[in-house]
């Protein structure tokens, strides 16, 4: 699938018809510029940071002719959104015209009486090949024509009316203003004479809308010794939408601050403003002025429709003095504050209020409203050791302005403030997360020891009580904060252990066998100082699926080892710094090593460390990466084995899994000797994920013995949805094989290739029995990986082509394949006749022994003919004689047809087929075997 196709977020196919008097059928495709959003967000024309979400509709078929007297109307219905009356009020800018310019610039969008109108210039219309309809209006000195209108019918429905023709291959852009009121905001388009979408269109870029702007989760677990040494793991604070860590106490430039004691006449009456206040009872007061004397007023979240018995208006607003001290400006959340509580009272934080865990090089020394940041003391924590930024937070335009500061500490409780002061935070589209970890702790008492087990922390989002002022104005106590009732998570942040040395993998790899290696992130933790003897190296080996995997060290050489980087205290060294070979190969082929040696002394020399405390700090929290891969057909768990004299016992470390790039579904095929173009079987090749089958790679499907078995034809196709594109050859140059070339990789989920109606030519002297099929090629493994379909073809479909053992239970009416340990399906329920004979369905017994259904022939008069290899067996309803190749076999119970199913006595039908049959009268189980 091409890139443009991959970027399409939501596509719906629709049919369009004009209203009276003409009916013109057409089809459209509709896409949505999905955006990050959370529950409660508002997208409107007056919000610079949260613009309307736009539906882009393309006419993909016929020109649509619109009658200017009637227009063409259809409906947009929302789910988990609210097209509120506040957002669809009369809003204009200072010149009284323009309110919003959609992405197709040059068109204008105004509002009057709750109806938004898009105007298009005459020159734009003629450029689209459309003759203007209706009367023009003069806007900013230029004539414009109404293109379409959007009218709010209710909180959940809008009516769109087209007033100009809609030519083929043209677009209209419909901007939507709404509040997010649920967790799956969508819209659908419908109308008997308009456009009807085939599906709901998601408005959010996330599969599920979060209730909170940020979330907290465990990054990875650390390790602490029983005497309090070691390193905590990390807590990950993730944005539910981009810019969530930005302070939101800034008054938007388009809002006007007001003094509520000023008379109504002195207030601005043609602009929009909004203000939030609160009083000492924590009752939030919200006043929104929409212009033209229209107001919304709420206290504690409850909207007031009237005040003092009269309808609320610009002349009738509750009066209060915002400067009296009873009311202060409400900052809903200056920035994100998180309380982190150690759930083990024998431990306490070894940090002080004011310590910076991270401060960007360009971070301002002031928060908003002049609140000074506490200057970092000389003991301030080193930023690179405790905080990592990823995703949209990792760019320099954000990281340089990011701040993580300790604002309050009380023994085992600590509040940190996380804030993004970047000027680009509002416009950023990529979400990110900040990972806070390895924070120092200590035993509250020297005489204490910790118990083995898990160390938990509780993470709660909090806000300052009493005042809504930004953090950083003064030194706070933990008791000054209260929960915001948004985030509360209990996480296992470390394991309390007896070990003195720990290796940890904090990302799990998912390797594709026979394909590209992946990086595994490893860390070394020396829990107790001096636990590692630098003269004793560590040896690494790998296994995947019970067999040896490999360390990727370069294409044909070991140059990639030189790219390994070690980090400590903001410094980085490579694997070959000043000739100090830290990790070296010891065995395996060049580029694919099976064992590596990790030299600790070389690492110490590379960092130039001599002080024992520094050496311990480095070994306490050391990170590096290794490239690991799995050989073809070595699927299973990937395990790192670590051997060293520093251990009493060797260590095992789970790294992830290795999976096959494809799975193959198939059923065994029965073919006859000496018959051409027998059409049998289906092979389905399914990718385990997108892009598993490599572009320009080839797959070949080859029978085991091309001299005896040849493929002469097949129907081959790729699925329609994944984007996988293939070209095929069958029996090219009389090769007798199938060849599939991958022209384009799948991009929209795993792809599937189906090979059906395969035609075979079978040489007449081909030995009976099973023959393998082999699937191989560069599409799944550059090194020649081969997948074998064991006994895919069975030549000569008689009962001796394979070993069979089937048990039929006459009590439960079930059948069981005892050799392959699987249940079998019965066409007819076996039964005991009136004379006590065991009767079984003729078709069932034949199919148990792989006689193809084409060789079981039912004819009128109750005759059954079974072709078993070179033998012919015939039975007739009501007759007690079976004929095998014309010779009679006399039965003590005749063949019977019951409910359109043909039955024969077990003993005699088995004899005719040449198989053994045993019957246990106690268990009522018959066993058939060859």
């Amino acid at each position: 699938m091409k890139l443009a196709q991959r970027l399409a977020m939501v596509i719906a196919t629709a049919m369009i018809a004009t209203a009276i008097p003409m009916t013109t059928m057409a089809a459209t495709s509709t896409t949505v510029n999905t955006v990050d959003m959370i529950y409660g967000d508002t997208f409107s024309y007056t919000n610079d940071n949260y613009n309307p979400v736009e539906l882009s509709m393309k006419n993909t078929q016929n020109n649509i002719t619109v009658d200017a007297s009637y227009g063409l109307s259809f409906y947009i219905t929302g789910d988990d959104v609210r097209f509120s009356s506040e957002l669809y009020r009369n809003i204009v800018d200072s010149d009284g015209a323009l309110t919003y310019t959609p992405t197709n610039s040059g068109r204008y969008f105004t509002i009057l009486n709750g109806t938004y109108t898009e105007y298009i210039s005459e020159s734009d219309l003629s450029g689209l090949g459309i003759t203007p309809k209706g009367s023009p209006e003069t806007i900013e000195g230029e004539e414009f024509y109404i293109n379409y209108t959007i009218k709010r019918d209710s909180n959940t429905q809008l009516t769109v009316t087209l007033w100009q023709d809609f030519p083929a291959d043209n677009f209209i852009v419909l901007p939507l203003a709404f509040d997010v009121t649920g967790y799956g905001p969508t819209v659908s388009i419908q109308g008997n004479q308009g456009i009807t979408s085939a599906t709901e269109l998601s408005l959010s870029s996330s599969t599920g809308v979060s209730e909170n702007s940020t979330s907290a989760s465990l990054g990875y677990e650390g390790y602490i010794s029983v005497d309090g040494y070691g390193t905590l793991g990390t807590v990950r604070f993730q944005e539910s939408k981009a810019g969530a860590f930005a302070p939101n106490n800034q008054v938007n430039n388009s809002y006007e601050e007001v003094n509520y004691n000023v008379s109504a006449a002195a207030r601005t009456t043609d602009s929009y403003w909004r203000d939030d206040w609160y009083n000492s009872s924590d009752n939030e007061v919200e006043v929104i002025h929409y212009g033209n004397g229209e107001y919304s007023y709420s206290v504690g979240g409850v909207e007031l429709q009237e005040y003092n018995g009269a309808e609320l208006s610009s002349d009738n607003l509750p009066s209060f003095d915002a400067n009296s001290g009873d009311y202060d400006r409400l900052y809903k959340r200056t920035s994100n504050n998180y309380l982190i509580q150690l759930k083990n009272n024998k431990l306490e934080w070894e940090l002080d209020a004011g310590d910076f865990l991270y401060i960007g090089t360009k971070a301002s020394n002031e928060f908003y409203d002049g609140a000074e940041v506490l200057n970092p003391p000389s003991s301030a924590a080193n930023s690179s050791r405790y905080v990592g930024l990823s995703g949209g937070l990792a760019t320099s335009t954000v990281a340089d302005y990011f701040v993580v500061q300790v604002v309050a500490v009380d023994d085992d409780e600590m509040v940190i403030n996380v804030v993004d002061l970047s000027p680009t935070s509002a416009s950023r589209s990529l979400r990110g997360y900040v990972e806070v970890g390895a924070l120092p702790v200590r035993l509250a008492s020297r005489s204490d020891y910790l118990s083995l087990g898990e160390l938990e922390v509780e993470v709660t989002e909090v806000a300052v009580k009493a005042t809504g002022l930004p953090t950083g104005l003064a030194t706070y106590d933990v008791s000054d904060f209260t929960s915001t009732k948004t985030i509360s998570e209990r996480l296992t942040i470390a394991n309390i252990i007896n070990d003195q040395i720990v290796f940890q993998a904090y990302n799990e790899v998912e390797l594709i066998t026979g394909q590209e290696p992946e990086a595994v992130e490893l860390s070394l933790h020396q829990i107790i100082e001096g636990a590692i003897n630098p003269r004793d190296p560590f040896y690494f080996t790998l296994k995947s699926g019970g067999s040896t995997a490999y360390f990727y060290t370069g294409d044909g050489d070991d140059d990639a080892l030189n790219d390994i980087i070690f980090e400590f205290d903001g410094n980085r060294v490579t694997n070959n710094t000043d000739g100090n070979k830290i990790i070296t190969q010891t065995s395996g082929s060049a580029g694919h090593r099976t064992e590596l040696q990790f030299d600790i002394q070389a690492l110490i020399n590379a960092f130039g460390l001599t002080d024992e405390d520094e050496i311990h700090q480095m070994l306490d929290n050391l990170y590096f990466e290794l490239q690991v891969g799995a050989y073809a057909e070595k699927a299973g768990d990937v395990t790192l084995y670590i051997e060293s004299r520093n251990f009493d016992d060797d260590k095992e470390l789970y790294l992830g899994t290795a999976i096959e790039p494809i799975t193959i579904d198939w059923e065994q095929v029965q073919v006859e000797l000496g018959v051409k173009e027998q059409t049998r079987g289906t092979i389905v090749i399914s990718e385990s994920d997108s892009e598993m089958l490599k572009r320009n790679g080839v797959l070949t499907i080859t029978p085991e013995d091309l001299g005896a078995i040849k493929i002469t034809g097949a129907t081959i196709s790729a699925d329609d949805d994944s984007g996988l594109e293939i070209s095929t050859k069958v029996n090219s140059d009389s090769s007798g094989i199938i060849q599939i070339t991958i022209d384009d990789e799948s991009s929209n989920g795993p792809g599937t290739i189906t090979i059906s109606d395969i035609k075979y030519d079978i040489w007449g002297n081909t030995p009976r029995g099973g023959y393998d099929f082999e699937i191989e090629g560069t599409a799944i493994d550059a090194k020649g990986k081969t997948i074998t379909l064991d006994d895919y073809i069975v030549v000569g479909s008689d009962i001796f082509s394979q070993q069979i053992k089937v048990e039929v239970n006459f009590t439960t009416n079930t059948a069981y394949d005892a050799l392959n340990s699987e249940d079998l399906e019965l066409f007819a329920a076996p039964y005991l006749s009136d004379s006590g004979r065991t009767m079984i369905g003729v078709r069932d017994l034949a199919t148990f022994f792989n006689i193809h259904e084409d060789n079981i022939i039912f004819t009128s008069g109750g005759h059954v003919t079974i072709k078993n290899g070179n033998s012919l067996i015939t039975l007739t309803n009501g007759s007690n004689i079976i004929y095998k190749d014309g010779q009679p076999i006399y039965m003590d119970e005749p063949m019977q047809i019951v409910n359109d199913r043909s039955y024969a006595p077990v003993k005699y039908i088995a004899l005719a087929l040449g198989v053994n049959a045993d019957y246990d009268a106690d268990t009522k189980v018959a066993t058939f075997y060859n």
Side-chain angles (χ1 to χ4, degrees):
M1 182 174 286
K2 303 298 183 290
L3 179 61
Q5 294 171 290
R6 295 173 63 180
L7 292 179
M9 291 169 283
V10 181
I11 297 179
T13 303
M15 297 300 296
I16 293 183
T18 60
I20 301 171
M22 179 180 291
T23 300
T24 303
M25 299 303 294
T28 63
S29 64
T30 306
T31 59
V32 185
N33 69 317
T34 56
V35 294
D36 284 347
M37 57 182 66
I38 63 172
Y39 184 95
D41 271 349
T42 295
F43 295 86
S44 72
Y45 310 101
T46 57
N47 191 332
D48 290 341
N49 296 335
Y50 301 102
N51 290 325
V53 172
E54 295 180 350
L55 301 183
S56 179
M57 185 178 297
K58 181 182 179 181
N59 183 356
T60 59
Q61 289 191 6
N62 304 321
N63 294 337
I64 301 175
T65 302
V66 177
D67 189 297
S69 300
Y70 300 96
L72 167 63
S73 296
F74 55 89
Y75 303 101
I76 297 178
T77 303
D79 189 18
D80 285 347
V81 299
R82 181 169 67 101
F83 306 119
S84 65
S85 57
E86 290 82 0
L87 296 175
Y88 282 81
R89 291 172 181 259
N90 298 346
I91 303 174
V92 295
D93 68 359
S94 57
D95 63 13
L98 176 64
T99 60
Y100 178 71
T101 303
T103 52
N104 54 341
S105 57
R107 303 178 183 186
Y108 296 97
F109 209 60
T110 62
I111 182 170
L112 182 63
N113 298 325
T115 300
Y116 287 78
T117 304
E118 188 198 51
Y119 289 93
I120 183 170
S121 66
E122 183 175 3
S123 59
D124 283 346
L125 281 171
S126 61
L128 297 174
I130 301 174
T131 301
K133 297 181 179 182
S135 302
E137 296 187 25
T138 301
I139 302 177
E140 298 179 348
E142 186 177 354
E143 287 190 346
F144 284 82
Y145 293 82
I146 296 177
N147 193 32
Y148 64 80
T149 57
I150 304 178
K151 182 179 182 299
R152 176 187 175 275
D153 300 324
S154 67
N155 281 342
T156 58
Q157 181 173 292
L158 305 172
T159 296
V160 180
T161 303
L162 304 182
W163 297 103
Q164 300 291 339
D165 294 346
F166 191 7
D169 297 324
N170 273 267
F171 291 84
I172 56 173
V173 178
L174 308 173
L176 307 179
F178 59 89
D179 298 314
V180 180
T181 59
Y183 303 105
T186 59
V187 292
S188 58
I189 304 172
Q190 54 190 314
N192 294 330
Q193 296 179 342
I195 303 168
T196 301
S197 64
T199 183
E200 292 183 328
L201 306 176
S202 176
L203 301 176
S204 172
S205 56
S206 301
T207 54
V209 170
S210 172
E211 187 172 2
N212 306 317
S213 59
T214 64
S215 62
S217 62
L218 179 69
Y220 65 87
E221 296 179 5
Y223 297 91
I224 300 290
S225 68
V226 292
D227 47 4
Y229 294 103
T231 306
L232 296 183
T234 63
V235 177
R236 176 177 295 181
F237 299 99
Q238 188 158 354
E239 294 180 311
S240 300
K241 65 176 183 180
F245 291 113
N248 59 0
N249 65 330
Q250 303 174 73
V251 177
N252 191 300
N253 292 332
S254 63
Y255 300 170
E256 180 182 348
E257 298 183 46
V258 297
N259 184 329
Y260 287 93
N261 285 332
V262 176
S263 66
R267 297 189 183 124
T268 305
T269 59
D270 60 356
S271 64
Y272 172 89
W273 44 252
R274 174 174 181 157
D275 240 329
D276 297 319
W277 305 72
Y278 80 99
N279 62 16
S280 57
S281 299
D282 286 337
N283 279 326
E284 179 181 343
V285 178
E286 180 184 73
V287 182
I288 304 178
H289 174 217
Y290 300 99
N292 298 325
E294 298 183 11
Y295 288 84
S296 169
Y297 184 94
S298 65
V299 175
V302 179
E303 184 173 353
L304 302 182
Q305 301 298 326
E306 58 181 37
Y307 181 66
N308 285 341
E311 184 177 352
L312 197 67
S313 69
S314 58
D315 297 317
N316 182 34
L317 283 178
S319 176
F320 60 89
D321 185 355
N323 301 313
S324 67
D326 294 331
Y327 288 84
D328 293 313
R329 169 63 59 83
L330 172 66
Y331 297 95
K332 289 186 177 179
R333 185 172 55 250
T334 300
S335 51
N336 300 74
N337 298 300
Y338 302 98
L339 171 65
I340 307 177
Q341 298 171 287
L342 292 164
K343 307 310 289 184
N344 188 317
N345 56 16
K346 291 183 179 181
L347 285 173
E348 61 184 19
W349 295 109
E350 198 173 3
L351 287 164
D352 297 319
D355 282 350
F356 282 91
L357 303 179
Y358 183 96
I359 182 166
T361 57
K362 298 179 181 178
S364 171
N365 285 331
E366 290 187 353
F367 280 109
Y368 296 97
D369 274 13
E372 293 185 2
V373 174
L374 295 176
N375 291 324
S378 58
S379 61
N382 185 287
S383 63
S384 64
R385 191 180 304 170
Y386 300 109
V387 173
L389 303 177
S390 298
L393 302 177
T395 63
S396 59
T397 55
V398 177
D400 287 348
Y401 293 90
F402 210 82
V403 175
V404 181
Q405 185 186 20
V406 178
V407 293
V409 179
D410 185 6
D411 296 334
D412 57 356
E413 297 182 316
M414 175 175 63
V415 176
I416 63 171
N417 178 249
V418 181
V419 59
D420 168 16
L421 302 175
S422 165
T424 63
S425 60
S427 59
R428 177 164 50 87
S429 60
L430 179 62
R431 286 175 287 177
Y433 64 83
V434 51
E435 197 151 357
V436 178
L439 301 177
V441 293
R442 63 191 169 206
L443 287 171
S445 170
R446 293 181 182 178
S447 60
D448 281 337
Y449 286 92
L450 302 174
S451 300
L452 297 177
E454 297 179 342
L455 174 62
E456 295 183 324
V457 294
E458 188 161 336
V459 181
T460 307
E461 186 170 5
V462 294
V464 181
K465 296 178 184 177
T467 70
L469 297 177
T471 55
L473 279 175
T475 301
Y476 287 97
D477 293 328
V478 171
S479 59
D480 292 331
F481 292 84
T482 185
S483 171
T484 61
K485 299 181 180 180
T486 53
I487 294 176
S488 181
E489 298 288 345
R490 194 169 180 127
L491 309 170
T492 299
I493 200 169
N495 292 291
I496 302 171
I497 59 174
N498 269 328
D499 291 338
Q500 297 184 3
I501 305 169
V502 174
F503 278 92
Q504 182 180 16
Y506 61 99
N507 72 310
E508 290 187 7
V509 296
E510 185 175 75
L511 302 178
I512 309 301
T513 61
Q515 295 192 14
E516 297 296 323
E518 290 191 20
V520 59
E521 303 172 38
L522 300 173
S523 61
L524 169 63
H525 307 276
Q526 178 184 249
I527 308 300
I528 306 297
E529 184 174 352
I532 295 177
N533 184 344
R535 293 191 298 272
D536 292 329
F538 296 91
Y539 295 93
F540 298 150
T541 57
L542 278 172
K543 287 190 182 298
S544 170
S547 301
T548 302
Y550 66 90
F551 299 98
Y552 174 74
T553 57
D555 292 328
D557 52 39
D558 294 317
D559 288 346
L561 285 177
N562 294 332
D563 297 330
I564 298 176
I565 296 173
F566 301 88
E567 298 187 24
F568 163 64
D569 203 19
N571 298 317
R572 309 172 79 195
V573 298
T574 63
N575 193 42
N576 194 24
T577 299
D578 299 328
N580 293 293
K581 290 280 190 178
I582 302 166
I583 292 182
T584 55
Q585 57 81 19
T586 60
S587 64
S589 59
H592 290 70
R593 299 298 180 178
T594 55
E595 184 181 76
L596 299 178
Q597 175 182 290
F598 184 15
D599 189 337
I600 298 298
Q601 187 60 58
L603 177 66
I604 295 171
N605 295 340
F607 276 115
L609 302 178
T610 57
D611 182 80
E612 292 296 329
D613 287 341
E614 286 188 328
I615 292 174
H616 174 57
Q617 282 186 6
M618 183 264 290
L619 295 178
D620 177 41
N621 213 25
L622 181 74
Y623 297 88
F624 59 98
E625 289 186 356
L626 294 177
Q627 298 281 332
V628 300
Y631 291 115
E633 297 185 327
K634 303 301 180 187
D637 289 346
V638 181
T639 306
L640 176 67
Y641 293 85
I642 308 170
E643 178 186 354
S644 177
R645 291 182 179 178
N646 287 297
F647 298 136
D648 292 332
D649 299 301
D650 296 343
K651 305 296 182 184
E652 296 183 13
L653 190 59
Y654 173 78
L655 301 184
T657 58
I659 63 173
E660 298 287 354
I662 60 173
T663 58
I664 302 177
D665 292 324
W666 57 280
E667 291 185 358
Q668 194 173 68
V669 171
Q670 306 286 331
V671 294
E672 299 293 337
L673 295 171
V675 181
K676 290 187 175 183
E677 294 194 351
Q678 300 178 70
T679 303
R680 299 277 194 277
T682 299
I683 300 173
V684 179
I685 301 173
S686 302
E687 295 182 296
S688 56
D689 203 348
S690 300
E691 303 177 348
M692 292 293 98
L693 296 172
K694 300 304 181 183
R695 182 182 288 108
N696 299 324
V698 175
L699 284 177
T700 59
I701 302 175
T702 309
E704 178 183 346
D705 188 346
L706 280 172
I709 302 172
K710 180 175 290 186
I711 300 173
T712 60
T715 300
I716 308 171
S717 62
D719 66 282
D720 296 329
D721 300 327
S722 68
L724 182 67
E725 297 179 7
I726 63 173
S727 55
T728 64
K729 295 179 182 179
V730 181
N731 196 27
S732 176
D733 300 326
S734 299
S735 61
I737 66 174
I738 295 173
Q739 180 176 302
I740 302 171
T741 302
I742 309 303
D743 297 326
D744 204 351
E745 296 175 359
S746 59
S747 56
N748 190 30
T752 301
I753 298 174
T754 302
I755 308 164
S756 59
D757 298 330
I758 306 172
K759 295 181 180 180
Y760 310 91
D761 284 353
I762 309 299
W763 180 52
N765 293 327
T766 302
R768 298 175 185 272
Y771 291 82
D772 300 341
F773 261 30
E774 293 182 346
I775 300 177
E776 61 185 352
T778 56
I780 51 177
D781 180 24
K783 295 179 169 44
K785 174 185 178 68
T786 299
I787 299 174
T788 301
L789 310 186
D790 295 324
D791 291 339
Y792 174 75
I793 285 184
V794 177
V795 176
S797 59
D798 60 75
I799 61 175
F800 301 107
S801 61
Q802 287 182 295
Q803 185 180 1
I804 301 293
K805 184 178 181 181
V806 175
E807 298 171 352
V808 177
N809 191 312
F810 280 73
T811 301
T812 61
N813 295 333
T814 58
Y816 180 69
D817 182 346
L819 293 181
N820 295 310
S821 301
E822 62 183 16
D823 295 327
L824 299 175
E825 182 180 359
L826 288 171
F827 289 98
Y831 69 94
L832 294 176
S833 70
D834 294 339
S835 60
R837 300 304 181 197
T838 51
M839 305 292 286
I840 190 165
V842 175
R843 179 190 292 271
D844 284 324
L845 192 57
T847 55
F848 290 162
F849 290 90
N850 294 318
I851 297 176
H852 195 273
E853 61 181 7
D854 291 349
N855 293 331
I856 307 171
I857 304 167
F858 297 86
T859 55
S860 60
H863 300 289
V864 181
T865 301
I866 301 173
K867 182 181 179 182
N868 180 27
N870 295 323
S871 296
L872 284 178
I873 301 165
T874 58
L875 302 92
T876 301
N877 183 36
S879 172
N880 64 347
I881 301 175
I882 298 179
Y883 289 95
K884 179 177 182 181
D885 297 329
Q887 299 299 313
I889 299 174
Y890 295 95
M891 303 182 291
D892 57 9
E893 186 86 15
M895 172 192 158
Q896 298 180 28
I897 296 179
V898 180
N899 295 329
D900 294 328
R901 300 296 184 186
S902 299
Y903 289 87
V906 165
K907 175 181 176 181
Y908 299 101
I909 186 67
L911 178 62
L913 290 172
V915 299
N916 300 306
D918 296 332
Y919 180 70
D920 187 327
D922 293 332
T923 62
K924 292 184 174 54
V925 172
T927 302
F928 301 91
Y929 56 96
N930 57 7

